[in-house]
Amino acid sequence: AGSTAPVGSRPAAGCLSPPLHLHRPCVRMEGAGAAPAGARQAEDAEQTGAVEPALDANEDAILQELLGSPVATPAAALAPSSPAGAEAAGAVAAVEPGAEEEDFDLPEPTTPLPPQVELDRFCVTARWSLKCRLDLKKIVFGIRNAEYNPRRSQTLVLRLLKPRITFTIVRSGLVNVVNAPVTPEQARLAAAKVTRMIQKCGHPEAVCSGLVIRSQQAMASLPFPVRLEDLAEKWQRHVLYEPEVTSTAFFFLKKPRCTIGVTSGGKLAFRGFAHPGEAREALRRAYPVFLEFNR
């Protein structure tokens, strides 16, 4: 009677239940459309009443109401043509009153931009607040393509199909979008859709507040390789190149305010611009410089 059974052995006949460490329940909470596939996915969605990411056409007025406030942009990415950008440009001019404009900006390009060289992809990083506390368990059972595993992370992941954006939502109501391949206007509309879906999942007080486009990125490809060493030697005031640290050279422009990452294979990455038009203008002005150092 005083003997102790080894760990992992079968319980004795008089034992009411096995040890707790041998039978731990494993609960996995996923969205309504994540478990089944094919026809079973549609049937389960109808039974659970999952909310589709795409909204009905009669909710356009609600989306416009949610998008009442304009999208904010970082202060460092303000366009010089805007009033706020003009003030920022004036502040820079006040710091260096004797600086020549030609010392900081590129000359007007004389070589036209080929039609095959264009911006092919945009990525946006944004965030906003829903201004309320969220029940993530209720949301994950009410929205299709939502995932939430509290044992792994306290963040809910929501994926939209049109447009393709992945959102991360926390219990405090903060929503983040990281490197979504959309334009700022598409990200703004997607934010209103997500807010409307969360309202339908038992949070009618949720609002789309403080939408901020934190950063934008655009990609382009040159039809020729670039000699980065010679580029950095001639344009020392515009280029930062440390081959021991990274294989990318960073080309800085003042007008428009933009940073271009250049690789030896001719791949370009544009960052720091306020809107897509500035990225296209930066490509037009920098293309003759890169063409000069064609291998």
Side-chain angles (χ1 to χ4, degrees):
S3 62
T4 304
V7 177
S9 61
R10 299 183 62 181
C15 183
L16 296 180
S17 61
L20 293 178
H21 68 276
L22 298 180
H23 293 274
R24 293 183 178 177
C26 180
V27 180
R28 183 181 180 186
M29 290 182 294
E30 296 182 349
R40 292 187 57 189
Q41 180 176 2
E43 295 177 0
D44 291 354
E46 293 178 359
Q47 295 176 1
T48 57
V51 179
E52 288 282 355
L55 300 180
D56 298 335
N58 56 0
E59 294 190 350
D60 291 342
I62 300 178
L63 294 182
Q64 294 299 328
E65 182 179 356
L66 292 173
L67 293 174
S69 58
V71 181
T73 54
L78 290 174
S81 58
S82 62
E87 294 178 2
V92 174
V95 173
E96 300 179 359
E100 295 281 342
E101 186 68 26
E102 291 77 12
D103 293 342
F104 297 94
D105 201 10
L106 297 178
E108 186 64 25
T110 57
T111 304
L113 187 65
Q116 66 270 18
V117 180
E118 59 182 5
L119 301 178
D120 54 3
R121 187 177 62 181
F122 288 90
C123 292
V124 173
T125 300
R127 67 177 178 183
W128 76 93
S129 176
L130 298 173
K131 292 296 183 179
C132 65
R133 300 283 297 182
L134 302 177
D135 186 355
L136 299 183
K137 184 185 298 186
K138 183 185 297 184
I139 295 175
V140 77
F141 283 117
I143 299 180
R144 185 180 296 181
N145 298 328
E147 298 178 3
Y148 174 56
N149 190 343
R151 292 187 174 185
R152 183 179 301 176
S153 175
Q154 296 298 322
T155 301
L156 184 145
V157 179
L158 175 62
R159 295 179 175 88
L160 289 185
L161 300 180
K162 293 182 180 180
R164 283 191 172 272
I165 305 180
T166 300
F167 303 87
T168 58
I169 307 174
V170 296
R171 196 179 303 273
S172 62
L174 186 63
V175 186
N176 286 283
V177 181
V178 180
N179 292 335
V182 294
T183 62
E185 189 61 30
Q186 290 176 338
R188 188 167 178 254
L189 181 59
K193 289 184 178 181
V194 171
T195 304
R196 182 56 180 162
M197 286 190 289
I198 293 178
Q199 288 179 353
K200 290 184 175 182
C201 293
H203 299 82
E205 69 278 7
V207 294
C208 184
S209 174
L211 178 60
V212 178
I213 303 297
R214 302 176 63 183
S215 64
Q216 302 182 56
Q217 181 178 350
M219 308 296 293
S221 299
L222 298 175
F224 51 83
V226 181
R227 302 193 306 271
L228 300 182
E229 296 83 359
D230 299 339
L231 175 67
E233 182 179 356
K234 181 175 180 180
W235 297 90
Q236 297 180 4
R237 303 189 67 175
H238 289 263
V239 179
L240 175 61
Y241 180 51
E242 294 292 342
E244 297 180 356
V245 179
T246 178
S247 60
T248 302
F250 298 95
F251 195 90
F252 302 96
L253 283 79
K254 183 181 178 181
K255 287 187 178 181
R257 188 185 299 268
C258 182
T259 301
I260 306 176
V262 190
T263 64
S264 59
K267 300 297 182 180
L268 306 180
F270 297 80
R271 301 180 180 89
F273 54 90
H275 53 84
E278 290 190 353
R280 296 186 180 93
E281 178 65 15
L283 177 60
R284 187 186 70 87
R285 297 182 68 87
Y287 176 78
V289 178
F290 300 144
L291 182 62
E292 180 182 356
F293 300 96
N294 179 15
R295 287 184 176 180

